Amino acid sequence: MRRATKFLSFFLGLFVVLYVAGTFYGIYRFMFLNRYWAQGLGLTDNMFYAGFYLTCALAAITALVGLYLMLKGLFARRRDRKLTFNHDDGSVEVSEEAISGAVQSTLAGYDGIQESEVQMDIKDGREPSIRARVNCGIRHGANLDQYGQAIKDRISREITTLTGLPVEEIQVSFYEADPADAKNR
């Protein structure tokens, strides 16, 4: 689980638990006032207490969900975004950032690409593999079909050379880059 997701999960859970605590306090504090209003509406005590218990049960379930989110945010393992190669004399770790950097430098070799964004998905385990999603901002008039296949082949070769692992999938998408951004770079 990513750090931002853990952070969001924890604080959302904390908010829910505090909200439910406030709800319980409100129910307990104003129960007698609500009972007075309920009698004014013609509700019997049994109907009032049934609604009270139902509200408490729903608040308790909501509190459990909030507690689950808090604990998940605190204790969920952070997903390692790296590959580990074990050898007799030690181990080598290749991070996702290193592979993304190699892909970025590969993309820098193309004249028509003004900007790019690379997202990697590394699957480590019994059958490790790599997926890449590349978004390229190109200048107007570039041959997209030629660029797309050339980029896929070259990135696949680069990743395989760097890691020794097969590339499962490479998705390349293009968008027209703003010419003003190219002048600022």
Side-chain angles (χ1 to χ4, degrees), residues 146-164:
Q146 176 187 0
Y147 270 160
Q149 194 57 43
I151 287 172
K152 279 184 176 183
D153 293 341
R154 195 157 170 204
I155 289 174
S156 179
R157 238 184 355 260
E158 183 73 26
I159 292 173
T160 302
T161 302
L162 182 64
T163 64

Side-chain angles (χ1 to χ4, degrees), residues 57-180:
L58 291 176
I61 291 169
T62 306
L64 290 175
V65 170
L67 187 62
Y68 168 75
L69 286 173
M70 275 181 48
L71 293 175
K72 181 181 171 187
L74 282 175
F75 298 114
R77 276 204 258 163
R78 201 164 155 245
R79 187 176 136 203
D80 286 337
R81 303 187 66 81
K82 59 187 171 188
L83 292 170
T84 304
F85 301 102
N86 294 318
H87 302 288
D88 294 335
D89 57 345
S91 65
V92 176
E93 292 181 351
V94 180
S95 70
E96 183 177 296
E97 290 83 17
I99 299 170
S100 293
V103 170
Q104 288 282 4
S105 66
T106 300
L107 292 172
Y110 290 94
D111 289 336
I113 298 177
Q114 292 180 346
E115 56 194 32
S116 61
E117 178 186 337
V118 179
Q119 295 174 347
M120 305 295 295
D121 183 24
I122 297 175
K123 292 183 181 177
D124 200 4
R126 292 183 192 162
E127 295 182 26
S129 64
I130 299 174
R131 291 182 184 191
R133 186 171 38 234
V134 181
N135 297 319
C136 299
I138 60 166
R139 69 172 189 262
H140 183 70
N143 186 349
L144 298 183
D145 186 40
Q146 176 187 0
Y147 270 160
Q149 194 57 43
I151 287 172
K152 279 184 176 183
D153 293 341
R154 195 157 170 204
I155 289 174
S156 179
R157 238 184 355 260
E158 183 73 26
I159 292 173
T160 302
T161 302
L162 182 64
T163 64
L165 296 176
V167 177
E168 188 175 318
E169 179 182 17
I170 297 177
Q171 295 177 355
V172 178
S173 60
F174 296 104
Y175 61 91
E176 189 171 348
D178 188 14

Side-chain angles (χ1 to χ4, degrees), residues 38-51:
Q39 287 175 348
L41 293 173
L43 299 175
T44 64
D45 279 346
N46 288 341
M47 285 193 257
F48 172 74
Y49 283 115

